[in-house]
Amino acid sequence: MNLFLEAIQWILDPASWTGEHQLGARVLEHLAFSAAVLLAAALLGIPAGIAIGHSGRGRGLVIALTSGARALPTLGLLTILGLGLGIGLEAPFLALLVLALPPVLAGAYAGVESVDRATVGAARAIGFTEWQVLACVELPLAAPVIIGGLRSAALQVISTATLAAYIADTGLGRPLFRALKTQEYGVMLGASILVALLALVVELCFHAIQSAAARRAEPHRTTPRRAHARARERTHR
Amino acid sequence: MNWLSQNLHIVGQLLADHLALSIPPILLSLAISVPLGRLAAGSGRLRAPLLTATGLLYAIPSLALFVILPPILGLPLRSGATMVAALTVYGCALLVRGAADAFDSVPEDVRLAAAATGHSRWALFWRVELPLAGPVLLSALRVVVVSTVSLVTVGAVIGISSLGTLFTDGFQRGIDASIVTGIVLTVAVAFLLDALCVLAARALMPWQRVRA
Amino acid sequence: MIEFDAVRKQYPDGTVAVERFDLVVPSHRVVALVGSSGSGKTTLLRMVNRMVEPSSGSVRIDDVDVRSMDPVRLRRSIGYVLQAGGLLPHRTVADNVATVPLLEGRSRRQARADALGLLERVGLDPAIADRYPAQLSGGQQQRVGVARALAADPNILLMDEPFGAVDPIVRDQLQTELRALQADIGKTIVFVTHDIDEAFALADEVVVLRAGAEIAQRGTPAEILAAPADDFVASFVGAGTARRSLRIREIDGRALVVDGDGRPTGVLER
Ligand SMILES: Nc1ncnc2c1ncn2[C@@H]1O[C@H](COP(=O)(O)OP(=O)(O)OP(=O)(O)O)[C@@H](O)[C@H]1O
Ligand SMILES: [Mg+2]
């Protein structure tokens, strides 16, 4: 527990924020870098996923990509790209993008796919244009799942951005790796706690956004059990 | 290929280390998560806090967890035990939710019918709920297997040897072949263990056509 | 007036849902398409609002080929009621009813006021306007579906098994209400059902379909019951079964109507 005291002292010490470690800058770096990757993944993955979910084509590809990406070791990807592209932000950016894309794609695809086809058909039948079907029916109903995809991508990215310091000396991983070299366990622990807190804050933000989207998609929410019972009731009728 | 043939011995050793670090956390998290998942599924009050807690654990970046856990558990930083403990935490974070969903997927009327035919609570769990939860549980377990095998490599940056050591060594010494070998073997181990799970599930759930 | 002129529909997978179909649905009349599952009823109905395009032949509304109309405009001008309502789960009842007027740019206030009126019209308490579809019973959802179809005041209503998802008692009730409503609004209605009793209860004219949407017989309910064209129609309407073979039995000076098994079904008023 001594170590934790040391770690917390280090975090609270103004010198850590102004001195060699520049914690403020590290946090911003970490967040900005993660946000950039996530934005790129969203710009590429969401339209592609929606197109796949909407048309039903390319489904196998999404499944293969997501299960393949899970098996791919992050550190291996980082280091091989680091060797290929050299020191700098390009390698980690690319590696993180490769990791963030599958969950975003899968979320967008699964979200649109999960929207009841009968509802979509009904909207079309009463005169929604294709764009209105997408914007007023499919997207709001799919939003919780789409945001869920972004959420897992964000976790993945924040986590891997820590590891990225191993090859690019950026973000909150930087003090962690420095301290690893100098054997300052208190500093390592402090940096780790900061990263964990950062991840938790991001997770909670996404949780709130996702709940808000779910409330819009399913304004009248029941507990899973009751929804399940209701679904059964319906099929029995 | 040249590099590989010269380093076959080391690679073999790292592969063995990797397996020794990945299999225990998979089994441990399964053993811990099934009862917790059943509790969460059965109780409206426990469900939310349990799932929120495990969800938050999962949010913690792996490297950070590898550093934070040892002082909590009184373990040395560079030890296999640290790795196993941390990966068990992750495994549980995924599996508790998976198990809760699995038990939720057991139809209520089957549960009622089994209780009505005189199954005790214990028999109900082992003979009815667990087998019927099997397929959903399996798909969650497969995610845990694959991600555990991949996460083990992260330990290499703090000096815990596994196939991940091929990444750190390869990077520091500029040997592509080392990193590529590590990636290929890690993915292969993941798929192998995944296939084993599917085969085991097929043997245990003969009524289910488990798709690989 | 809706005219089907030699329409045929072959789906891309090769299924011929409609071989060749001709029918005229006069204005302000209710026509029921009945037939067993897969006989092509839904396909025919959807040709009217261009959810399905015929492979050959044409569908005309008031002498205008629907193919010359913009599908979205066409659909907004036709009321469409589906089994289980087909309501948007993320919009309130009032917003669901007002969907088409809102799409057409009607003001929110006006659309909402109209929606409340329509809810009353289909027998719903306007107090449910701010609920979501999942909070309604099946019968209520179905009524909302009818209200939505009426919202743009279309001349034509298409109904695909409108009461297929509700229990028999509610179905009876909804049929009675729809008849009263139709007496009032006089729309041109084409509806699809595989329940011959529903067809007899609601339609001015009934079209019995075989596989491939081949017309086995068409006529008023009375004509079809009185003289089924062939064995297929006879078995479809249940001609000769106990339920359809009614007799009169005198009891205490009153004429009781009994079915083929001798079970009383009503009293003859003279
Ligand atoms: N989109 C489609 N692609 C291919 N075949 C279709 C399609 N839609 C319908 N069919 C086929 O066309 C035939 C007629 O279908 P349709 O839905 O019109 O029947 P229906 O009379 O409405 O049946 P039900 O009473 O079951 O609703 C069926 O054999 C059906 O399988
Ligand atoms: Mg149909």
Side-chain angles (χ1 to χ4, degrees), chain B residues 107-121 123-125 128-129:
Chain B
E108 191 64 34
D109 27 13
V110 172
R111 215 190 291 262
L112 286 177
T117 49
H119 284 74
S120 66
R121 278 198 73 123
L124 187 68
F125 177 78
V128 180
E129 293 180 336

Side-chain angles (χ1 to χ4, degrees), chain A residues 120-138:
Chain A
V120 174
R124 208 169 273 139
I126 63 171
F128 281 72
T129 64
E130 281 309 300
W131 279 113
Q132 286 166 336
V133 168
L134 190 66
C136 307
V137 182
E138 287 181 313

Side-chain angles (χ1 to χ4, degrees), chain B residues 159-172:
Chain B
I160 300 173
S161 90
S162 70
L163 289 172
T165 308
L166 295 174
F167 305 150
T168 47
D169 270 10
F171 181 69
Q172 268 148 20

Side-chain angles (χ1 to χ4, degrees), chain C residues 11 13 15 17 36-43 161 194:
Chain C
Y11 283 107
D13 67 355
T15 315
S36 37
S37 195
S39 52
K41 308 179 294 290
T42 297
T43 303
E161 302 194 30
H194 43 227

Side-chain angles (χ1 to χ4, degrees), chain A residues 115-116 118-130 132 135-141 215-221 230 234 237, chain C residues 46 49 51 71-72 75-76 78 80 82 85-91 96 99-100 103 132-138 141 148 165-167:
Chain A
V115 176
D116 187 358
T119 304
V120 174
R124 208 169 273 139
I126 63 171
F128 281 72
T129 64
E130 281 309 300
Q132 286 166 336
C136 307
V137 182
E138 287 181 313
L139 280 187
L141 290 176
R215 272 195 303 278
R216 285 198 54 192
E218 265 182 280
H220 155 258
R221 265 268 278 283
R230 188 189 308 260
R234 250 190 225 140
R237 260 209 291 263
Chain C
R46 292 176 155 226
N49 68 356
M51 293 290 286
V72 169
R75 289 170 196 161
R76 287 185 192 173
I78 293 178
Y80 194 85
L82 300 88
L87 304 174
L88 299 180
H90 60 307
R91 301 238 177 125
N96 262 289
T99 305
V100 174
L103 285 177
Y132 291 94
Q135 294 170 299
L136 304 182
S137 73
Q141 289 182 23
R148 178 176 72 178
V166 294
D167 67 59

Side-chain angles (χ1 to χ4, degrees), chain C residues 114-146:
Chain C
D114 292 350
L116 295 185
L118 279 164
L119 287 177
E120 259 181 305
R121 182 125 217 201
V122 297
L124 287 171
D125 182 352
I128 66 161
D130 294 316
R131 290 211 208 154
Y132 291 94
Q135 294 170 299
L136 304 182
S137 73
Q140 288 173 321
Q141 289 182 23
Q142 210 51 49
R143 287 185 171 94
V144 176
V146 174

Side-chain angles (χ1 to χ4, degrees), chain B residues 133-166:
Chain B
V136 179
L137 195 58
L138 172 68
S139 51
L141 181 65
R142 292 178 65 184
V143 173
V144 170
V145 166
V146 172
S147 64
T148 301
V149 170
S150 160
L151 276 175
V152 166
T153 61
V154 174
V157 298
I158 53 170
I160 300 173
S161 90
S162 70
L163 289 172
T165 308
L166 295 174

